[in-house]
Amino acid sequence: MTTAPTDYDAEIERLEGTLRGELIRPDDPTFDEARTIYNAMIDKRPDAIVTCASVADVIAAVDFGREHDLDTAIRSGGHNGPGLSLVDEGMVIDLSEMTSVRVDPDARTARVEPGCTWGDVDHATQAFGLATVSGVISTTGVGGLTLGGGHGYLTRKHGLTIDNLLSADIVLADGRLLHASEDEHPDLFWALRGGGGNFGVVTSFEFELHPVETVVAGPMFWRIEDLEAIMRWYREWLPQAPEDVYAFYMTAEVPGDPFPEALHGENVCGLMWCYLGPEDRIEEVVQPARNVADPVFEHIEAMPYSALQIMFDDLYPPGDQWYWKGDFVRDLSDDAIAEHRRFAEVPTPKSSMHLYPIDGAVHRVGPDETAWNYRDANWSMVIVGVDPDPANREKLTDWTRNYWQAVHDHSEDGAYVNFMMEEGQDRIRATYGDNYDRLQEIKAKYDPDNFFHVNQNVEPAP
């Protein structure tokens, strides 16, 4: 960040006078609350937080940040693991007050503002028995998840979140507002679908919706001693399973209620099911898993899709310490499974490893059709060290890094950008693969000075 001019305070006061939202400075009583994000491991102190109430506020904030050469971060839901929705000393453009959702049930579309969480979207769309692809925690922000690609319970059937993105309105670094779609600025639209927040501030997302109302879902756990048998079965079963069937794999510690007391604190492996087909066929779907080993717990039942979406919210509220690392996984070799078994004892009760399926409909989109490169991977893996106590920060961080290092040689070079910490430019290049050069060219066209660089950054082509 360059040195602020002597009249900076006067100019920032003029900015404040143009806003419909708030401008929060370090001496404001709401500053600490405003700079708090989901991951309590992050402690950054921006010089200004602009809580935008409208597109006009976004434009004013971008213009101010550009004119004063401020490091500028964009915050939607605040779930960014490495804390790239905040910045030290610069400016945060906070979109969390822009929460409108407009559903067109006849067209099966929804126009969503960037401050929405996926819980906001589900609330609006489920009234019409509709949904789009999102994550597995409803408090996650729409903006960050979408721009990174997005995957969740509906992915095998309906693809990534970006595969359901129809258009976006975006404020560029020069302050212009553009509409990006397959027909308007198609190069920018291509880049937005997986390229992260590199190209501007998206102020509106238009999504395709699908009929999803009731699902059959819930967890199934096995003893940790059954891990290798379950993972070997899972790697063979999942690619052949109908796309109505989704199940992500996990290793975890059983929390307290509502689980049986005898299992509290036990390390287990498990599957989290979501079945979109007829309820009366769920037994034939899940029975093959039972045949591998006897589950120690299962609770699978019909429920509203929105109920499934909030199932992990209470377990993972804002304010925990988080450290995560991810990889794309094409195959689960016996050697990889052996490493997963070696690290299956989690360091803290909330720590876990998940394998999220990204096959099915995801594979029917070519690797060059969107910025998301790994269209032939079968899973998106994330290893998460989580705990509410800051004293456990080193323990959960070391476990996550060591676990990731042990399995990385059996994974792909790149990872889902939303599951990355600040891991360096080589890792970003590996994630985008053959699409990286094209992203650089689009970056040079729409943000040649790299104003939007507080992210998993794609550098402009020289």
Side-chain angles (χ1 to χ4, degrees), residues 146-395:
T146 299
L147 295 175
H151 56 67
Y153 294 112
L154 306 182
T155 285
R156 299 192 73 238
K157 179 81 168 182
H158 297 298
L160 302 170
T161 305
I162 54 173
D163 299 333
N164 295 272
L165 184 64
L166 302 175
S167 69
D169 294 334
I170 181 170
V171 176
L172 303 181
D174 61 10
R176 287 182 295 156
L177 176 69
L178 296 185
H179 184 72
S181 68
E182 292 282 9
D183 300 321
E184 299 178 68
H185 307 288
D187 57 343
L188 179 60
F189 186 58
W190 178 90
L192 292 177
R193 287 175 289 167
N198 276 283
F199 304 95
V201 184
V202 176
T203 59
S204 177
F205 298 87
E206 182 188 14
F207 295 107
E208 180 181 5
L209 304 177
H210 307 279
V212 180
E213 192 164 7
T214 299
V215 298
V216 187
M220 181 180 286
F221 296 153
W222 291 267
R223 294 176 180 84
I224 206 68
E225 291 77 14
D226 294 322
L227 181 151
E228 290 168 297
I230 294 298
M231 290 192 83
R232 284 195 295 268
W233 169 81
Y234 180 65
R235 74 183 177 191
E236 304 299 329
W237 167 82
L238 182 77
Q240 309 303 319
E243 291 177 6
D244 277 339
V245 181
Y246 178 96
F248 77 74
Y249 172 88
M250 70 179 83
T251 52
E253 182 177 302
V254 179
D257 293 337
F259 298 98
E261 186 175 354
L263 291 177
H264 292 182
E266 290 294 315
N267 280 272
V268 295
C269 59
L271 295 176
M272 184 66 191
W273 297 90
C274 175
Y275 179 51
L276 303 176
E279 182 181 352
D280 61 4
R281 298 192 63 182
I282 187 61
E283 286 301 310
E284 64 186 82
V285 169
V286 302
Q287 186 58 44
R290 297 188 187 116
N291 294 341
V292 180
D294 292 331
V296 294
F297 176 83
E298 62 176 279
H299 187 85
I300 301 167
E301 64 179 358
M303 65 181 70
Y305 174 69
S306 56
L308 173 62
Q309 285 287 86
I310 66 172
M311 193 169 287
F312 288 94
D313 288 8
D314 289 343
L315 181 61
Y316 293 115
D320 285 345
Q321 305 278 312
W322 282 80
Y323 190 87
W324 57 35
K325 288 181 75 70
D327 267 334
F328 289 123
V329 177
R330 186 174 286 112
D331 302 301
L332 285 171
S333 68
D334 286 348
D335 288 343
I337 291 172
E339 294 293 350
H340 284 293
R341 176 65 184 92
R342 191 161 68 91
F343 284 88
E345 305 291 331
V346 298
T348 60
K350 293 188 178 186
S351 298
S352 185
M353 188 282 290
H354 292 179
L355 286 168
Y356 295 105
I358 49 171
D359 61 330
V362 180
H363 287 189
R364 294 196 291 274
V365 179
D368 60 352
E369 292 185 50
T370 67
W372 178 290
N373 180 56
Y374 280 88
R375 290 285 179 171
D376 59 348
N378 286 310
W379 292 278
S380 173
M381 178 186 70
V382 65
I383 302 166
V384 294
V386 189
D387 197 75
D389 187 351
N392 287 325
R393 174 175 180 164
E394 184 175 352
K395 178 168 67 171

Side-chain angles (χ1 to χ4, degrees), residues 19-20 52-62 95 98 113-114 169-171 175-178 201-204:
L19 300 173
R20 292 296 179 266
C52 299
S54 66
V55 175
D57 285 357
V58 174
I59 293 172
V62 168
L95 307 171
M98 298 175 64
E113 287 191 325
D169 294 334
I170 181 170
V171 176
R176 287 182 295 156
L177 176 69
L178 296 185
V201 184
V202 176
T203 59
S204 177

Side-chain angles (χ1 to χ4, degrees), residues 73-192:
I74 314 302
R75 173 179 174 167
S76 175
H79 274 236
N80 183 276
L84 296 174
S85 54
L86 287 180
V87 67
D88 278 319
E89 296 186 340
M91 179 175 66
V92 174
I93 298 177
D94 188 330
L95 307 171
S96 60
E97 297 300 312
M98 298 175 64
T99 57
S100 170
V101 182
R102 181 179 178 183
V103 178
D104 184 336
D106 295 326
R108 290 182 180 173
T109 61
R111 186 166 294 280
V112 180
E113 287 191 325
C116 290
T117 66
W118 287 106
D120 296 327
V121 177
D122 291 336
H123 175 76
T125 61
Q126 285 285 277
F128 303 98
L130 300 170
T132 196
V133 178
S134 61
V136 299
I137 295 179
S138 77
T139 58
T140 305
V142 168
L145 182 137
T146 299
L147 295 175
H151 56 67
Y153 294 112
L154 306 182
T155 285
R156 299 192 73 238
K157 179 81 168 182
H158 297 298
L160 302 170
T161 305
I162 54 173
D163 299 333
N164 295 272
L165 184 64
L166 302 175
S167 69
D169 294 334
I170 181 170
V171 176
L172 303 181
D174 61 10
R176 287 182 295 156
L177 176 69
L178 296 185
H179 184 72
S181 68
E182 292 282 9
D183 300 321
E184 299 178 68
H185 307 288
D187 57 343
L188 179 60
F189 186 58
W190 178 90
L192 292 177

